[in-house]
Amino acid sequence: MSSTAIAASFSPTSSSTASLCSRTKASVPSTLWRNARNPPCSFLGRRISIKRSVSSRSTSQLTEDRKSSKTGATRCSSASSVVPSALLFDCDGVLVDTEKDGHRISFNDTFAEKELGVSWDVDLYGELLKIGGGKERMTAYFNKTGWPENAPKSEEERKSFIASLHKRKTELFMALIEKKLLPLRPGVAKLIDQALAKGVKVAVCSTSNEKAVSAIVSFLLGPDRAEKIQIFAGDVVPRKKPDPAIYVLAASTLGVEPSSCVVIEDSGIGLAAAKAAGMTCIVTKSGYTADEDFKNADAVFDCIGDPPEERFDLAFCGSLLEKQYVS
């Protein structure tokens, strides 16, 4: 048998990221279809590129079903019988697009309460997101721009100060989640349900505070799903993404091989962590990460998507792993 390697990417034709998951248009490069009789599908507003090692079986393994012309959506699936041992989700930007109107607002409200004279605008926060972890983000910012006048002077006291700021920020963020002001991204619940139905282990692996991640899982996915999902978050590992530690820990704890895991990420640092852990990684772009370089991803989409605008499903995740089990 021959192996198949697939990478699909949606690239917005507009700079706006607000409609990342509302419209799609795809044109598949002719190189993919050398051995195919039918021309590729075209869609409204997006481009999909699928790269593979073409073989006698590869074209038939991936099915791209054109949905209703009213929706213009594409669905990537596969006839593969392989399923992941575990499906590992990042939290912020993957489960919920939390950063701009969730975490950033909560950081700023905390700074205002403490009268620190600091406010992070949208663009600045986008740059700060390159640093994994909220406490690490604040520390790096203050080290670069100067610590507030009412902040402690010693390094040890500053660690406690940062921890207290982060605790309050988490409380404010959790209040937003409990009020369900930030919805799940399209397709998240669907893909988790598919995985659980097939006996695939599901976990959330995040640099965010464990309480905040647990709140998202519990309030937005519901208690029935939450009790079946293991959470690895915050300071459970000493080094944050792009270090692979959190994904290595997840695989070890769940008792699965890293090579049998599929990770859903939205950022370059998350992708780097997943690949360094030896895992397959699908990127679903979020508001802050739409323009990042994801060339090392196994597949890139604008979102997971719910029918009739579904982008991919559990079978597609399995098809990315199949190359590891065929010779």
Side-chain angles (χ1 to χ4, degrees):
M1 290 187 181
S2 58
S3 62
T4 304
I6 305 173
S9 67
F10 284 85
S11 302
T13 56
S14 165
S15 59
S16 172
T17 58
S19 60
L20 271 178
C21 205
S22 61
R23 301 169 296 161
T24 7
K25 180 169 190 183
S27 61
V28 182
S30 59
T31 53
L32 170 62
W33 300 90
R34 288 174 185 158
N35 299 326
R37 294 174 178 239
N38 298 323
C41 306
S42 292
F43 303 81
L44 180 66
R46 297 284 178 273
R47 187 176 178 214
I48 179 173
S49 63
I50 302 177
K51 298 180 291 183
R52 64 170 70 203
S53 302
V54 180
S55 70
S56 59
R57 299 178 66 239
S58 61
T59 302
S60 63
Q61 285 177 330
L62 177 68
T63 304
E64 290 195 317
D65 301 318
R66 288 187 70 179
K67 297 296 183 182
S68 163
S69 59
K70 294 181 181 179
T71 66
T74 186
R75 177 174 180 271
C76 288
S77 189
S78 171
S80 171
S81 61
V82 175
V83 295
S85 295
L87 203 57
L88 309 179
F89 292 83
D90 177 41
C91 182
D92 299 304
V94 173
L95 300 184
V96 187
D97 206 345
T98 54
E99 297 293 5
K100 180 171 72 72
D101 297 321
H103 288 294
R104 185 183 69 88
I105 298 300
S106 300
F107 273 117
N108 285 339
D109 287 347
T110 300
F111 298 153
E113 284 185 1
K114 302 298 183 181
E115 299 181 345
L116 300 184
V118 173
S119 181
W120 290 345
D121 63 26
V122 172
D123 291 338
L124 172 59
Y125 192 66
E127 288 299 311
L128 290 171
L129 285 175
K130 295 176 182 177
I131 303 167
K135 293 191 290 292
E136 292 80 0
R137 205 168 293 147
M138 286 188 285
T139 301
Y141 173 79
F142 291 137
N143 282 340
K144 182 176 181 181
T145 64
W147 287 76
E149 290 184 4
N150 55 350
K153 304 305 179 185
S154 74
E155 183 177 349
E156 197 61 34
E157 288 177 321
R158 283 177 173 176
K159 286 182 180 180
S160 298
F161 176 69
I162 289 292
S164 68
L165 291 180
H166 197 258
K167 180 181 178 181
R168 179 56 180 156
K169 172 260 172 186
T170 299
E171 292 171 350
L172 294 174
F173 177 76
M174 287 175 65
L176 294 176
I177 297 300
E178 290 172 9
K179 294 175 183 177
K180 298 186 177 180
L181 298 177
L182 299 170
L184 286 173
R185 293 192 69 193
V188 168
K190 172 214 71 178
L191 186 58
I192 289 175
D193 286 344
Q194 289 177 348
L196 294 175
K198 291 287 187 180
V200 175
K201 296 178 180 179
V202 177
V204 175
C205 302
S206 173
T207 60
S208 291
N209 179 277
E210 190 274 336
K211 289 183 179 179
V213 176
S214 295
I216 288 175
V217 172
S218 179
F219 284 99
L220 300 185
L221 284 168
D224 290 343
R225 294 189 184 98
E227 68 179 12
K228 301 171 186 174
I229 298 173
Q230 191 149 349
I231 292 172
F232 302 88
D235 298 323
V236 69
V237 290
R239 298 177 302 281
K240 305 293 178 67
K241 301 173 186 177
D243 192 280
I246 198 162
Y247 285 122
V248 172
L249 175 65
S252 175
T253 304
L254 295 173
V256 297
E257 290 295 326
S259 60
S260 68
C261 297
V262 173
V263 174
I264 313 295
E265 271 284 357
D266 77 306
S267 68
I269 63 172
L271 169 62
K275 299 307 288 184
M279 297 178 179
T280 294
C281 185
I282 299 173
V283 169
T284 56
K285 296 180 179 181
S286 63
Y288 269 119
T289 68
D291 297 325
E292 290 189 21
D293 182 2
F294 298 118
K295 64 183 179 181
N296 292 326
D298 294 276
V300 179
F301 294 93
D302 55 354
C303 64
I304 298 170
D306 286 306
E309 296 187 348
E310 183 181 51
R311 305 298 192 266
F312 67 94
D313 57 10
L314 184 66
F316 178 75
C317 296
S319 74
L320 296 178
L321 294 176
E322 187 173 25
K323 63 181 180 291
Q324 301 176 32
Y325 300 102
V326 296
S327 60

